[in-house]
Amino acid sequence: MNFKLFKLGAAAALTVSGASVISNLKPVAATTYKSAIKRVKISYLPGNGVRIWTNYQNGRFMGFRAKDGTEWNVVKTAVDKSGNLWYMVGDNEWIQARYTVDIASTASDLKAEKKSKSLLTKAKEAVTIKLPDKADKTDKKEETKTSKTAKASTKKTAEVATVATSTLNKESKESKNVSQSVDSVQGIINLAKEQVGKSYAWGANGPDTFDCSSLVQYVYQKAAGINLPRTTYDQVKVGQTVSINELQPGDLIFWGSTNAPYHVALYIGNNQYVNAATPEQGVVLQTLSSYYYPTIAKRIL
């Protein structure tokens, strides 16, 4: 690089705010030293220059200035009595360091800088080489995360499917039970009607002669496969108690109290019931009436 000195003509000097400023700078070639220890740039007032002195200690102004923004090789440094740092930039040519900024070191420092850059490049390459590993780890992490999410989703789906299946099975089972219940109730009604006309005898167990409780026991066992207790006293204790006003076909209806029921019949709907009434009546189909109204109702199905 060809560095320049600028010569100041005496007539060109003027004063601005008490400072000597150059209005006309003429470049003068400066010696470039291979033994330079660093390189600096003049950082002064734009368009102006820093004075160049013959010596850092009690030197005289040479009449030249180093222009703002120009670059200079520094071959030597020194500190004056006041503690100011000076740079030697030519043959007995000195400038104050405070008006400069370092650009780069030269000679051995430049070599060190080159080595430093080389190490930095290698470091960057090492980082670059490791980046795929990091990326792989990130990918694996994302893959693991995705896998976990997928597994969680699959698990959730499986749980939902299980719940849905369970619900469907339950509903299917309930539907099946309802269907079976309906079929059973209808079978009970049909079988009960078939017994109408048979005789009554207290303590008889059928199939041709019944008393009130044996008729109910026989019909439920044959039509629905449900084994009810033999006596009215025990039959009133099974099943779900329901209101007389909410009777459904297949319900058992009792007269008397829970502790002392004296008669039982099988409700078949439409306010009708089948029962083994008396020795004179036998098994008959009758209609509910206000003067002979049941007091208890039990739902078996």
Side-chain angles (χ1 to χ4, degrees):
M1 181 180 291
N2 186 22
F3 299 101
K4 304 290 183 181
L5 290 176
F6 294 86
K7 188 173 183 179
L8 173 64
L14 54 88
T15 301
V16 178
S17 300
S20 178
V21 182
I22 299 164
S23 61
N24 185 23
L25 295 175
K26 295 182 179 180
V28 177
T31 304
T32 300
Y33 292 86
K34 292 183 180 180
S35 59
I37 59 174
K38 66 188 302 182
R39 189 164 66 252
V40 296
K41 178 186 285 187
I42 304 301
S43 179
Y44 197 57
L45 296 174
N48 296 284
V50 178
R51 289 185 178 187
I52 299 177
W53 302 81
T54 58
N55 199 295
Y56 71 93
Q57 198 76 268
N58 299 321
R60 61 180 178 80
F61 174 47
M62 298 181 66
F64 302 101
R65 294 175 183 258
K67 188 177 180 180
D68 177 62
T70 57
E71 298 178 6
W72 297 76
N73 284 335
V74 176
V75 295
K76 188 177 181 180
T77 63
V79 178
D80 62 21
K81 293 178 181 179
S82 300
N84 297 313
L85 178 64
W86 290 74
Y87 290 153
M88 184 177 179
V89 295
D91 293 330
N92 296 319
E93 296 171 351
W94 294 80
I95 60 175
Q96 289 193 49
R98 61 179 175 173
Y99 299 122
T100 68
V101 291
D102 291 351
I103 296 176
S105 300
T106 56
S108 61
D109 288 342
L110 288 174
K111 185 177 181 181
E113 180 185 358
K114 185 177 180 181
K115 183 177 181 181
S116 177
K117 287 183 178 179
S118 177
L119 291 174
L120 180 60
T121 301
K122 289 181 179 180
K124 287 182 178 179
E125 290 176 351
V127 171
T128 303
I129 292 172
K130 291 182 179 180
L131 281 177
D133 293 337
K134 184 176 180 181
D136 289 343
K137 289 181 180 179
T138 302
D139 291 341
K140 288 179 180 179
K141 186 176 181 181
E142 290 298 325
E143 184 179 347
T144 301
K145 184 177 180 181
T146 303
S147 178
K148 287 182 178 179
T149 302
K151 287 181 179 179
S153 178
T154 302
K155 183 178 179 181
K156 186 66 177 177
T157 302
E159 290 175 353
V160 172
T162 300
V163 171
T165 302
S166 177
T167 302
L168 288 173
N169 289 339
K170 184 178 180 181
E171 291 177 351
S172 177
K173 185 176 181 180
E174 290 176 351
S175 177
K176 185 176 181 181
N177 290 339
V178 169
S179 178
Q180 290 177 343
S181 178
V182 171
D183 292 342
S184 297
V185 169
Q186 190 59 50
I188 288 171
I189 293 171
N190 294 339
L191 185 58
K193 288 181 177 180
E194 290 176 7
Q195 309 312 308
V196 173
K198 291 185 177 180
S199 61
Y200 173 92
W202 186 83
N205 295 314
D208 298 319
T209 303
F210 300 95
D211 63 14
C212 65
S213 57
S214 67
L215 173 65
V216 170
Q217 182 189 47
Y218 175 82
V219 170
Y220 259 88
Q221 199 283 321
K222 295 297 182 180
I226 297 175
N227 295 316
L228 294 178
R230 171 63 181 83
T231 66
T232 304
Y233 299 99
D234 292 326
Q235 289 174 356
V236 78
K237 297 175 183 178
V238 299
Q240 177 186 357
T241 301
V242 295
S243 171
I244 294 296
N245 297 322
E246 297 178 354
L247 290 175
Q248 292 182 5
D251 289 347
L252 301 184
I253 51 178
F254 297 84
W255 285 258
S257 66
T258 302
N259 295 326
Y262 59 85
H263 189 61
V264 63
L266 183 63
Y267 183 74
I268 62 172
N270 297 321
N271 285 330
Q272 294 181 320
Y273 61 93
V274 174
N275 70 122
T278 64
E280 293 77 21
Q281 294 175 302
V283 178
V284 293
L285 187 154
Q286 295 179 298
T287 301
L288 292 174
S289 64
S290 57
Y291 72 89
Y292 188 62
Y293 208 72
T295 54
I296 303 168
K298 288 285 187 170
R299 186 161 296 153
I300 307 302
L301 291 173

